Amino acid sequence: MSMMNNFHRESTKLLQHLPLPKPSSLIYGNNQPWWCQILDPNGEIVTKWNQIFLVTSLIALFVDPLFFYLPNIRAESCMYTDFALAIIVILVRSIVDLFSALQILMKFRTSYVATSSRVFGKGELVRDPRKIVIRYLKTDFVIDLAAALPLPQFVVYLAMPLVRTHTRSAAHTNHAISLVIILQYVPRLVVIFPLNSRIVKNTGVVAKTAWSGAAYNLLLYMLASHVLGAAWYLMSVERHFSCWKQQCRKEQHGRTPCSIQYFDCLHFPDARTVAWLNSTKVYRNCNARIKSTDFDFGMFADAFKDQVTSADFVDKYFYCLWWGLKNLSSYGQGLNTTTYVIETIFSSLICLMGLVFFSLLIGNMQTYLQSMSARLEEWRIRRRDTEEWMRHRQLPPDLQDRIRRFVQYKWLATKGVEEEDILQSLPLDLRRQIQSHLCLSLVRRVPFFSQMDDQLLDAICERLVSSLNTKDTYIVREGDPVNEMLFIIRGQLESSTTNGGRSGFFNSITLKPGDFCGEELLTWALMPASNVNLPASTRTVKSITEVEAFALRSEDLKFVANQFKRLHSKKLQHAFRYYSHQWRTWGACYIQAAWRRWKRRKLADELARLESLYYMQWPEDEDEYADKQESKASENAQQLGATILASKFAANTRRGAAQKVTFVEPNDSSLRLPQIFKPDEPDFS
């Protein structure tokens, strides 16, 4: 006994130190099987399943009316049940019922939102399995169970042996099947409407595209026509059978009394049936093609005149579908009804259903089709307003053409979608990922940005905005403040400068995809004590073709420069100077001016050397010396004037080298070009 107590005590201590799993992990843990997990009603699995179950529910609504086509009339003499069609329909119906059973199991394992937690946000999910089961049993379980029960299969399975053994007639079987189908069709409709609402609530729409939405509504309208056509066929057979029974009662006291069993095709080999056929007038009095008949078939006369009840299934089905579609679209205006109560109720139902379904079809189709052209219509209205405004303001024709080109180009590039509004409505992390996906590869094509790391590029991409410019549009003019840097993605720009508008100077380059303009803004942003005033542009930038680019505004560039000190590195400084067209132009002009100064110094030195060699020559005699002195005097006058002019020119050149750069064209020495200042170099310390 003491040993047992010691064993119990030690085992208790061991269990206390073991890391036992929590009950919640057994239910919601990722390592548990799928049938033990509680599903989120707004999750991806439940959403996909709801879409699948919606399709199967629509198939079930289509399959159930096919049971109405089981009764047939053979040569207008007897009635039989098409058991081959019954087997096919039962197999399809059984497969669909499996999905209904799975739907019940899914609801037993799907959490729900507590009503008390819907004050804020999406609410709190109740994941307790017991509470989920109790709530489902109290709400939707009865309807789901009624819709999932295989009642038609059960009725057909029991009726087929009874009919074959002559215990029950085909009419009794048709009545039982029809009653079950009608009773079970109601819960199936009740199931599909909240399912459709749940899908719309989770995903926003049933169909993702406008065309699929229009097709979905048209399919529902065709389904209603299919149900009406099948019901009309069943009631036509029933009306014909009613005529047989009415005429049969009149022949009850004749030489060969009539019996209801004679109208069943299984009794035709019977001798009494053959004898009755030779003397009866039932079939002649119930022939809808004979006008003298006493029985009025009303709205069902077309089924017998066109021999629909004895046709093949395919011909019969499409004829009934056409009948339902025709009368549903015309609200049953072409129906010729009798005083038969069921016929009158059915005609009224067709009228009401046609009014409701046709209105819903037109309204939904119009909504979906208008959603396809909504932005196009908005663009047309905006374009019409623009035209009226231009005419009202009497703008010149060339300016109007430029405005039209810009509006057209913006529509082709964006299709009327305001990207900025969409991005601003998203969280910050999503905006960063989207901007990185859209801009990072394009920004890396800019050589200057290829020197930066990913973190700095992400910060720049986050603040880039798209910029669209049509042909002959001035991006910025020389002397205007620069408020953004432009990075070209597609198209070409012309960048030119006149150095402040001074005469005699003009420089022009072409900017292609991968180039950028507005580098004065980067110099301004990198200065530690930059002014509030934006820098003035030293160049005029004009679009040669349609240009798509990304723009980085001044305040965004200043923020990036202040946040990331790596932008102040010497490596990026040299990369900026190398790829900047402004610095390239200044460097080329500086080298050209230095080369021309060197050429002038070389010319002056050559003149001085020739002059010194001249004075070193000694004359042969006095006469020659006198003649040379005279000629020398005249030459000295000329050389002295040239030397003085050269000395003054060289002095002016040296004096102005520190302040300005002059250009002398090879063919015109008198032309003097203006100076070009070196760009302001920022303080990178």
Side-chain angles (χ1 to χ4, degrees):
M1 191 68 174
S2 60
M3 293 179 60
M4 293 294 295
N5 293 334
N6 293 333
F7 176 76
H8 178 71
R9 190 181 304 109
E10 294 296 331
S11 61
T12 303
K13 292 180 180 180
L14 181 62
L15 291 175
Q16 290 177 354
H17 291 85
L18 286 177
L20 295 178
K22 297 181 180 180
S24 59
S25 64
L26 293 176
I27 300 174
Y28 317 115
N30 295 329
N31 297 327
Q32 298 300 319
W34 60 270
W35 57 83
C36 293
Q37 297 183 7
I38 300 299
L39 302 176
D40 186 359
N42 299 322
E44 183 179 359
I45 296 177
V46 177
T47 302
K48 290 292 184 182
W49 169 254
N50 288 337
Q51 295 174 352
I52 295 174
F53 186 66
L54 177 63
V55 175
T56 58
S57 299
L58 293 176
I59 295 175
L61 294 178
F62 173 81
V63 170
D64 285 349
L66 294 180
F67 284 101
F68 295 163
Y69 293 99
L70 295 183
N72 289 270
I73 296 178
R74 182 181 299 169
E76 298 185 2
S77 59
C78 64
M79 183 185 298
Y80 71 97
T81 302
D82 190 353
F83 290 108
L85 177 62
I87 293 174
I88 297 174
V89 176
I90 285 174
L91 290 177
V92 178
R93 170 64 189 263
S94 300
I95 296 174
V96 173
D97 289 341
L98 290 178
F99 286 90
S100 300
L102 290 176
Q103 171 71 0
I104 295 176
L105 296 178
M106 286 282 292
K107 284 193 173 182
F108 274 120
R109 307 302 300 177
T110 303
S111 59
Y112 65 94
V113 179
T115 307
S116 58
S117 64
R118 293 179 180 176
V119 179
F120 180 77
K122 60 184 295 186
E124 182 181 356
L125 294 178
V126 177
R127 296 181 176 271
D128 188 358
R130 183 173 178 274
K131 293 182 179 179
I132 294 174
V133 171
I134 294 175
R135 180 180 180 273
Y136 179 52
L137 291 176
K138 291 181 178 179
T139 53
D140 300 333
F141 176 73
V142 176
I143 298 177
D144 292 343
L145 182 62
L149 289 176
L151 297 180
Q153 298 94 307
F154 182 73
V155 172
V156 173
Y157 178 76
L158 291 180
M160 288 173 63
L162 296 177
V163 172
R164 292 172 188 257
T165 58
H166 300 187
T167 306
R168 287 289 185 272
S169 64
H172 291 87
T173 305
N174 297 331
H175 293 164
I177 295 176
S178 304
L179 181 61
V180 169
I181 293 298
I182 294 174
L183 291 178
Q184 199 172 25
Y185 213 76
V186 175
R188 286 188 178 272
L189 288 175
V190 173
V191 167
I192 200 171
F193 286 119
L195 179 63
N196 185 84
S197 303
R198 197 177 303 117
I199 294 176
V200 173
K201 180 181 178 181
N202 292 340
T203 61
V205 290
V206 177
K208 294 183 179 180
T209 61
W211 283 110
S212 58
Y216 173 71
N217 286 274
L218 184 60
L219 179 64
L220 295 180
Y221 191 77
M222 296 293 293
L223 180 61
S225 303
H226 161 69
V227 174
L228 285 180
W232 173 77
Y233 173 80
L234 180 65
M235 296 177 69
S236 299
V237 175
E238 186 64 27
R239 189 63 172 163
H240 202 168
F241 188 73
S242 299
C243 180
W244 287 349
K245 290 191 296 182
Q246 180 180 349
Q247 296 298 324
C248 184
R249 284 194 292 267
K250 295 180 180 180
E251 297 182 359
Q252 290 290 337
H253 305 288
R255 182 183 304 175
T256 54
C258 178
S259 176
I260 299 298
Q261 294 182 355
Y262 294 162
F263 302 115
D264 196 337
C265 292
L266 295 177
H267 294 79
F268 256 71
D270 193 356
R272 290 181 301 174
T273 304
V274 176
W276 174 78
L277 285 174
N278 295 329
S279 61
T280 184
K281 295 182 180 180
V282 172
Y283 297 116
R284 184 179 181 279
N285 295 332
C286 292
N287 193 346
R289 291 188 294 272
I290 300 177
K291 296 182 179 180
S292 60
T293 181
D294 297 335
F295 193 86
D296 190 1
F297 289 94
M299 61 184 295
F300 308 110
D302 293 337
F304 310 110
K305 292 179 181 179
D306 299 330
Q307 298 181 353
V308 179
T309 56
S310 58
D312 295 335
F313 171 73
V314 177
D315 299 335
K316 177 175 22 181
Y317 171 75
F318 283 104
Y319 185 92
C320 296
L321 179 63
W322 168 81
W323 188 93
L325 185 61
K326 179 187 70 172
N327 288 280
L328 194 64
S329 302
S330 61
Y331 314 138
Q333 294 180 2
L335 296 177
N336 296 320
T337 60
T338 63
T339 56
Y340 184 45
V341 178
I342 298 179
E343 184 178 353
T344 307
I345 295 175
F346 185 63
S347 302
S348 303
L349 183 63
I350 291 176
C351 183
L352 293 176
M353 289 181 61
L355 182 63
V356 174
F357 280 96
F358 194 73
S359 301
L360 290 176
L361 175 66
I362 296 301
N364 292 331
M365 291 281 285
Q366 184 179 7
T367 301
Y368 279 105
L369 295 179
Q370 281 182 350
S371 65
M372 298 176 56
S373 59
R375 296 195 180 278
L376 181 60
E377 190 64 26
E378 291 177 2
W379 175 71
R380 289 175 180 172
I381 295 175
R382 191 180 300 113
R383 186 173 181 178
R384 184 191 62 190
D385 295 342
T386 304
E387 293 288 341
E388 293 179 357
W389 175 80
M390 290 189 299
R391 287 195 299 268
H392 177 68
R393 296 300 180 184
Q394 298 181 358
L395 298 182
D398 56 342
L399 186 58
Q400 292 186 17
D401 293 338
R402 291 181 58 189
I403 294 175
R404 293 189 189 100
R405 287 202 306 269
F406 175 77
V407 173
Q408 179 71 21
Y409 180 66
K410 186 176 181 181
W411 165 257
L412 294 176
T414 63
K415 298 299 180 182
V417 179
E418 298 294 338
E419 297 182 357
E420 291 296 323
D421 297 340
I422 296 176
L423 291 176
Q424 292 300 323
S425 63
L426 297 176
L428 179 61
D429 182 60
L430 289 180
R431 289 204 303 268
R432 288 176 177 174
Q433 294 183 13
I434 293 173
Q435 290 289 88
S436 177
H437 171 73
L438 295 176
C439 310
L440 186 59
S441 59
L442 300 176
V443 168
R444 287 186 185 277
R445 288 164 50 184
V446 180
F448 172 63
F449 284 146
S450 63
Q451 308 290 333
M452 301 180 182
D453 56 6
D454 293 338
Q455 186 178 5
L456 187 55
L457 288 179
D458 289 339
I460 293 176
C461 289
E462 183 183 348
R463 289 162 176 81
L464 288 177
V465 294
S466 61
S467 176
L468 303 176
N469 300 279
T470 56
K471 184 180 178 181
D472 299 333
T473 299
Y474 284 92
I475 309 300
V476 63
R477 298 179 185 268
E478 187 175 357
D480 292 344
V482 183
N483 56 3
E484 64 182 12
M485 286 187 69
L486 211 62
F487 304 95
I488 305 174
I489 305 304
R490 298 180 185 88
Q492 294 181 352
L493 295 175
E494 179 188 8
S495 178
S496 60
T497 180
T498 59
N499 192 27
R502 298 180 182 181
S503 61
F505 183 88
F506 182 78
N507 174 261
S508 176
I509 56 175
T510 301
L511 303 180
K512 299 179 180 180
D515 296 333
F516 59 93
C517 61
E519 53 266 31
E520 301 91 347
L521 196 62
L522 183 60
T523 304
W524 168 82
L526 292 176
M527 290 182 179
S530 59
N531 298 326
V532 179
N533 298 329
L534 296 174
S537 175
T538 59
R539 309 186 71 87
T540 298
V541 182
K542 179 183 178 182
S543 59
I544 303 176
T545 61
E546 282 79 10
V547 176
E548 296 181 17
F550 283 113
L552 187 61
R553 298 189 179 98
S554 57
E555 58 273 11
D556 296 329
L557 183 59
K558 187 67 175 178
F559 175 80
V560 174
N562 293 335
Q563 294 295 324
F564 295 91
K565 299 301 181 182
R566 292 187 297 276
L567 199 59
H568 299 259
S569 64
K570 290 292 183 181
K571 182 179 179 180
L572 293 181
Q573 171 191 355
H574 295 312
F576 167 70
R577 290 180 177 179
Y578 179 77
Y579 293 110
S580 172
H581 292 282
Q582 181 185 0
W583 279 79
R584 286 185 178 185
T585 304
W586 174 83
C589 294
Y590 187 82
I591 294 173
Q592 188 180 22
W595 180 79
R596 291 181 176 177
R597 287 197 304 269
W598 177 79
K599 289 289 290 184
R600 294 189 188 98
R601 285 197 302 268
K602 185 177 180 181
L603 178 61
D605 294 342
E606 185 68 20
L607 291 174
R609 187 180 65 81
L610 292 176
E611 184 179 359
S612 62
L613 290 176
Y614 176 80
Y615 284 112
M616 291 176 64
Q617 294 180 359
W618 187 258
E620 296 179 356
D621 52 14
E622 294 181 357
D623 295 335
E624 293 179 357
Y625 180 74
D627 295 337
K628 289 182 177 181
Q629 287 291 336
E630 292 178 0
S631 62
K632 180 180 178 181
S634 62
E635 290 179 0
N636 283 341
Q638 297 177 0
Q639 294 288 342
L640 181 60
T643 303
I644 292 173
L645 291 176
S647 299
K648 289 182 178 181
F649 183 78
N652 291 334
T653 302
R654 287 192 299 271
R655 185 169 55 252
Q659 300 177 356
K660 61 183 178 179
V661 180
T662 59
F663 301 95
V664 180
E665 296 295 330
N667 299 328
D668 188 5
S669 60
S670 64
L671 180 61
R672 198 172 163 204
L673 297 181
Q675 61 182 355
I676 177 171
F677 293 98
K678 174 184 175 182
D680 296 334
E681 182 177 354
D683 185 8
F684 291 96
S685 59

